[in-house]
Amino acid sequence: MKLLDKKQIKQKIKRLAIEILENNYEESEIILAGINNNGFEFAKLLQKEIRSTGYNIKVDVYRLHLNPASPSTSPVTLSVPTKKVEGKVVIVTDDVANTGRTIFFSFQPLMEVLPKKVEVAVLVDRTHKQFPVKVDYVGLSLATTLKDHIAVKILNVEEKEVFLE
């Protein structure tokens, strides 16, 4: 079942960009740290939308890489030296937040330094949190069963879509 189409995704990203700016209006720089491929693509879409507002703020996008199937035994890396995020607002982005495990482990490189603030933005938030993760910016919140799967198609596709499978 289709949950979001291209137009709805664009509208959600626009709203999230405005919320991010409202909560960080005094900042001169925001870092968006996208988890793996879809989280990184979502971060780039947010960056583009934030820039389109004309608000004078620097927005950098970096990739957080981790193995979601085995986050505790594989290295979690940030695509820039962690010193680059020290004292900055960092917003960790992902396409879907389910149990919170992937987001929880994505914080690991951020703990090597002291960012000014760490927030989380997701396109779809599911209500199955098993880890102490709070999502600050949510495009769509869903109460689903544990057997349901959310498919987010935003990377290398002409028509961006979100499905419940």
Side-chain angles (χ1 to χ4, degrees):
M1 172 174 69
K2 186 185 289 190
L3 298 174
L4 298 172
D5 61 22
K6 179 181 178 179
K7 182 179 177 185
Q8 292 167 316
I9 291 170
K10 184 170 176 53
Q11 184 62 37
K12 301 246 181 243
I13 289 171
K14 184 175 187 169
R15 180 178 50 80
L16 291 171
I18 291 167
E19 286 180 35
I20 288 168
L21 287 172
E22 284 176 347
N23 290 335
N24 296 286
Y25 68 92
E26 294 180 334
E27 302 300 324
S28 59
E29 181 178 2
I30 294 174
I31 293 173
L32 300 175
I35 298 174
N36 292 339
N37 297 327
N38 271 0
F40 183 69
E41 183 65 21
F42 178 52
K44 291 192 307 187
L45 294 169
L46 281 171
Q47 177 192 43
K48 182 179 177 185
E49 192 60 45
I50 291 169
R51 287 180 174 168
S52 76
T53 65
Y55 192 78
N56 188 22
I57 190 167
K58 182 180 178 188
V59 183
D60 289 322
V61 175
Y62 303 120
R63 185 184 305 264
L64 273 163
H65 181 74
L66 69 138
N67 179 352
S70 182
S72 63
T73 59
S74 302
V76 180
T77 59
L78 185 60
S79 64
V80 294
T82 52
K83 273 288 196 199
K84 185 101 170 144
V85 302
E86 189 165 12
K88 308 275 176 51
V89 171
V90 179
I91 301 174
V92 174
T93 64
D94 205 1
D95 57 344
V96 179
N98 188 18
T99 64
R101 182 176 78 168
T102 301
I103 294 169
F104 180 80
F105 278 94
S106 75
F107 295 151
Q108 188 176 345
L110 303 176
M111 291 182 196
E112 295 174 13
V113 295
L114 185 60
K116 181 174 185 178
K117 173 170 61 171
V118 178
E119 297 179 314
V120 176
V122 298
L123 186 57
V124 179
D125 185 26
R126 297 177 67 189
T127 57
H128 304 295
K129 300 295 175 287
Q130 296 172 351
F131 287 78
V133 172
K134 174 184 168 271
V135 178
D136 303 283
Y137 306 103
V138 177
L140 177 66
S141 183
L142 288 177
T144 59
T145 70
L146 290 172
K147 293 179 182 178
D148 290 330
H149 175 71
I150 304 293
V152 176
K153 298 177 181 182
I154 59 173
L155 183 64
N156 301 325
V157 294
E158 194 169 313
E159 289 293 318
K160 296 174 182 7
E161 301 171 308
V162 176
F163 289 93
L164 173 64
E165 299 175 335

